[in-house]
Amino acid sequence: MTATVGRRERKKAATRQALADAALKLFLEHGYDHVTIRDVAEAADVSTTTLLKHFPAKEALVFDEDAEHEAGLVAAVRDRAAGQSVPEALCAYVKRARVGGADSDTRFTAFVDLVNGTPALSRYGHRMWMRHQDALAHAIAEDAGRAPDDHACAALAHFALEASALAHRSDDPVGAVDAAFALLGHGWDAALAGA
């Protein structure tokens, strides 16, 4: 049974979304460094105090999908297609969620360019992304029937997440992710065979 979301929670969520949308629009139009927290608050028609209740730092305005990414990574492992390996499923997820491709919409491409072109956002985004390592390692361990603190599962989780940083420094992000996961796939197969 699911609990219904109350009016207060819906209003909070709407305010949070309005702030994130206003921030992204302003950052894309004017550049991250040229937009203040006050500018974002005014664009969303809230006080800076309200903004800071929802987002503790300016960088946080750009990365508002932390829980969704963790759930997506775990689902990539647990809900992958029959016959698809864990590295293959994670490769597909990383490309879709962090890199995009030729079929990405222009807004996603602009977002990736904004993050990659702004050192503060790039560092913050990487820290936020790497926070999912433990949850991902546990999902991998559960799938492989290994202990939650298994080193091979932790290593796969770590390097799978790091693949997006490699991609962001590459002229061919999709190729970089494919190359990283090809290596991870061979290593993971060897780790499973050696178990």
Side-chain angles (χ1 to χ4, degrees), residues 35-47:
V35 177
T36 66
I37 286 182
R38 176 169 283 152
D39 295 333
V40 175
E42 287 176 8
D45 196 26
V46 300
S47 69

Side-chain angles (χ1 to χ4, degrees), residues 68-80 90 93 132 134-140 142:
E68 292 87 350
H69 280 307
E70 187 166 297
L73 286 160
V74 170
V77 172
R78 290 183 180 155
D79 303 335
R80 68 188 189 280
L90 289 172
Y93 183 81
H132 306 307
D134 289 343
L136 180 57
H138 286 113
I140 293 168
E142 182 181 296

Side-chain angles (χ1 to χ4, degrees), residues 29-183:
E29 288 175 357
H30 304 289
Y32 176 80
D33 294 326
H34 300 290
V35 177
T36 66
I37 286 182
R38 176 169 283 152
D39 295 333
V40 175
E42 287 176 8
D45 196 26
V46 300
S47 69
T48 54
T49 303
T50 298
L51 182 147
L52 291 171
K53 285 180 184 175
H54 290 278
F55 297 95
K58 183 178 171 185
E59 297 90 349
L61 286 158
V62 178
F63 300 98
D64 191 36
E65 298 178 348
D66 198 42
E68 292 87 350
H69 280 307
E70 187 166 297
L73 286 160
V74 170
V77 172
R78 290 183 180 155
D79 303 335
R80 68 188 189 280
Q84 185 181 39
S85 71
V86 169
E88 289 168 340
L90 289 172
C91 180
Y93 183 81
V94 168
K95 287 195 288 190
R96 183 173 60 255
R98 297 281 290 180
V99 177
D103 61 343
S104 294
D105 67 31
T106 56
R107 193 160 162 90
F108 181 79
T109 302
F111 171 80
V112 170
D113 291 344
L114 171 72
V115 171
N116 290 343
T118 310
L121 289 178
S122 183
R123 287 188 301 272
Y124 184 86
H126 184 259
R127 281 193 315 273
M128 295 298 289
W129 180 244
M130 294 305 293
R131 288 177 9 163
H132 306 307
Q133 181 175 321
D134 289 343
L136 180 57
H138 286 113
I140 293 168
E142 182 181 296
D143 181 79
R146 294 188 170 192
D149 61 348
D150 182 83
H151 294 302
C153 298
L156 178 57
H158 178 82
F159 292 115
L161 294 173
E162 281 290 352
S164 73
L166 175 68
H168 289 198
R169 293 188 304 266
S170 174
D171 291 337
D172 178 12
V174 173
V177 170
D178 286 338
F181 277 98
L183 287 171

